[in-house]
Amino acid sequence: MSDTAARADTTPSNRDVFNVAWPLTFKAMMVNAIVLIDAYLVSGLGEPALAAMGLAAAFGSLLVGTLMAFSTATQIRLAQAAGSGRRVALKTGFYAGLVTNLAVGASGVALVALFGGGMLERMAHTPWIAEQAKSYLYIFLMVVMFEAVAQNIGSFFNGSGRTIIPLKSFLIAIPINVTTSYLLIHGAFGLPALGVAGAAIGSVLGAATRSLYMGVSFYRETGGYLDEPGWLHGTLRRSLARHLSFSMPIAGTFVSNAVANYAATLLFAKMSVNQFAAMTLILPWVQAAGTFGIAWAQSTGIIVAQLLGNDRGSEELDAFLGRAWRMAFVAAGLVSLAYLVICLASTRIYAGLEAETTAALLSFLPVLLVLPFPKGSNAICGQTLRAGGDTLYVMNIFVAAQWLVRIPLTALFVLHLDLSVTWVFALFLVEELVKFPLFHMRLYKGEWKRGLAVE
């Protein structure tokens, strides 16, 4: 058997992608669980306490999300390194990512410590809410630093295709978070009743446990690469500079998306109460149900990066992508079906809604049935281009679609044309259709196949 035929036989299958994707799906759900758990447990203290936690969590979520963006970039570099099989490349990618995450986390913590308190005081409805929000936020900042470490180690295992290990870390950490938070919020078993601050302490202990588990798992497998001499580009400083040039566009994409979503929410608030309520209810479902499609695209990108690091040829890359793409459309169909069930069951899920709000939710259905298909295909393109090092182009597409299309049209529809929420929601589909030709034309050009590999 020729070398080409032998390597073709080892080209990853859809089962390989699924084995990477399903832990990513559950992990993505659990990442959001940190704040969701706190919100659920704090809700028993009343609306003011919940408002305080919500204000503080907005800052914490932004910091953790930024770390996730940088960790995604590290994940791609480590997938390329895993494909190459070079220990020095794995060591370099890991420590460059760790230094980056710690620097980003520390910078975010410093900025929040300096300016977060004043911003919370201006945003809070009462001084009590402001004080409670600050007590939660300043403790939650420790979560940010633990996550800086845990997410980077998670990138190592994800890039190697072993996404189950980061998932296990959440399965261990979340029960600790829930139990500790409940005990300290309400002061059970003679413990002090710390209220909102107790929820933050529970999150810190959960994050610390997760970080410890990930660290032990990493050291047992690699020994921290302490026995591996040198760095991929001669020095850690040079390697870090290359890592940052690769990572910044991915982080920029996240920041742009976060700011765009915030601007869109401010515009949604200008609609009628019922229409705004409908939009507020549907968007979390859109994100939750679409998780598997996004995880499939992300796992496809991981394997593409591994193949590029292994110097696989164009035909092998095309064969793998073709199979993965077909399954991406199956995943999109399942997401579309989930949206159908959610919309039809909305009257049961939210039994107390007014008729106008329910009608608005049902009016989203035509867009929701179509949205997963271009969105899933765009995600495959974006993750593949990133795997090949084309991170700046991917960022430019996202930024242009958000700030030149969706946000201006949202402002036009809401503030000037006074169109219904159905038309406003349809702009999420318009955004994906705008990105569609830009992504696919770039992918078909094929320059990404030369990749950055492990330069």
Side-chain angles (χ1 to χ4, degrees):
M1 182 181 291
S2 68
D3 288 345
T4 301
R7 291 176 75 172
D9 287 342
T10 61
T11 300
S13 65
N14 280 333
R15 178 179 290 276
D16 296 316
V17 183
F18 179 79
N19 289 339
V20 176
W22 76 262
L24 287 176
T25 302
F26 285 101
K27 191 202 80 169
M29 295 177 179
M30 291 182 182
V31 167
N32 296 321
I34 297 174
V35 175
L36 290 175
I37 289 169
D38 286 351
Y40 176 77
L41 295 173
V42 167
S43 63
L45 301 178
E47 283 78 1
L50 192 58
M53 202 220 77
L55 284 174
F59 288 88
S61 297
L62 180 60
L63 293 178
V64 173
T66 303
L67 287 172
M68 287 183 64
F70 279 99
S71 297
T72 298
T74 300
Q75 178 175 286
I76 295 170
R77 299 299 275 176
L78 288 170
Q80 294 169 342
S84 74
R86 299 169 63 188
R87 279 175 58 85
V88 68
L90 286 164
K91 171 190 172 182
T92 301
F94 176 81
Y95 283 106
L98 182 61
V99 171
T100 300
N101 271 19
L102 289 174
V104 170
S107 299
V109 167
L111 287 172
V112 170
L114 289 172
F115 305 109
M119 294 181 67
L120 288 174
E121 289 174 359
R122 288 191 292 271
M123 295 168 64
H125 290 82
T126 67
W128 185 89
I129 291 177
E131 286 302 315
Q132 292 297 305
K134 285 190 284 186
S135 70
Y136 179 94
L137 179 60
Y138 293 150
I139 297 172
F140 190 87
L141 291 178
M142 295 178 65
V143 172
V144 174
M145 298 311 299
F146 282 123
E147 282 296 310
V149 176
Q151 287 190 25
N152 189 70
I153 300 174
S155 295
F156 170 81
F157 287 112
N158 288 341
S160 302
R162 285 161 296 164
T163 52
I164 190 68
I165 295 176
L167 174 61
K168 286 180 180 178
S169 73
F170 279 101
L171 293 175
I172 294 169
I174 286 181
I176 293 173
N177 182 0
V178 172
T179 303
T180 308
S181 294
Y182 176 81
L183 294 176
L184 293 177
I185 288 171
H186 302 287
F189 301 109
L191 293 171
L194 301 178
V196 172
I201 293 173
S203 295
V204 170
L205 291 176
T209 304
R210 181 171 115 77
S211 184
L212 178 62
Y213 173 82
M214 295 291 285
V216 170
S217 299
F218 175 75
Y219 188 79
R220 282 179 175 173
E221 177 160 331
T222 67
Y225 293 115
L226 299 179
D227 60 341
E228 182 65 36
W231 303 95
L232 190 61
H233 304 293
T235 65
L236 178 58
R237 183 175 179 178
R238 286 183 186 173
S239 300
L240 186 59
R242 286 176 175 263
H243 187 89
L244 284 173
S245 68
F246 180 84
S247 303
M248 289 302 292
I250 296 178
T253 302
F254 168 79
V255 173
S256 173
N257 185 62
V259 176
N261 286 340
Y262 180 71
T265 300
L266 294 179
L267 291 170
F268 297 156
K270 299 294 183 181
M271 297 184 292
S272 71
V273 172
N274 295 90
Q275 294 189 69
F276 182 48
M279 190 70 84
T280 302
L281 290 173
I282 199 61
L283 289 180
W285 286 109
V286 171
Q287 184 176 4
T291 300
F292 180 70
I294 299 303
W296 183 270
Q298 189 177 2
S299 60
T300 299
I302 289 171
I303 294 177
V304 167
Q306 291 174 348
L307 293 174
L308 288 171
N310 195 237
D311 293 325
R312 296 299 183 97
S314 177
E315 291 184 3
E316 293 174 78
L317 289 166
D318 288 341
F320 167 70
L321 265 186
R323 290 196 297 269
W325 222 317
R326 286 190 288 274
M327 275 303 300
F329 279 98
V330 173
L334 294 175
V335 172
S336 182
L337 180 62
Y339 290 154
L340 174 63
V341 173
I342 290 166
C343 284
L344 295 181
S346 60
T347 54
R348 293 180 177 271
I349 298 172
Y350 305 109
L353 294 181
E354 295 181 10
E356 183 181 345
T357 306
T358 301
L361 285 171
L362 292 174
S363 75
F364 297 150
L365 184 57
V367 170
L368 289 171
L369 293 177
V370 177
L371 180 62
F373 294 95
K375 187 172 183 177
S377 192
N378 285 340
I380 290 283
C381 289
Q383 294 293 344
T384 301
L385 291 172
R386 282 174 172 169
D390 210 355
T391 57
L392 183 60
Y393 183 83
V394 173
M395 182 189 76
N396 289 338
I397 291 178
F398 273 98
V399 171
Q402 289 161 355
W403 294 103
L404 300 181
V405 179
R406 179 161 63 92
I407 298 302
L409 287 179
T410 299
L412 177 66
F413 284 15
V414 173
L415 302 179
H416 299 287
L417 300 181
D418 195 26
L419 296 180
S420 73
V421 69
T422 308
W423 289 102
V424 176
F425 184 76
L427 293 176
F428 287 100
L429 176 59
V430 171
E431 180 183 3
E432 296 300 328
L433 295 177
V434 168
K435 292 189 291 189
F436 194 89
L438 300 173
F439 269 134
H440 290 72
M441 287 172 63
R442 186 75 164 195
L443 190 77
Y444 288 139
K445 250 178 115 173
E447 293 181 0
W448 61 272
K449 294 176 185 178
R450 293 193 286 274
L452 290 178
V454 199
E455 294 179 355

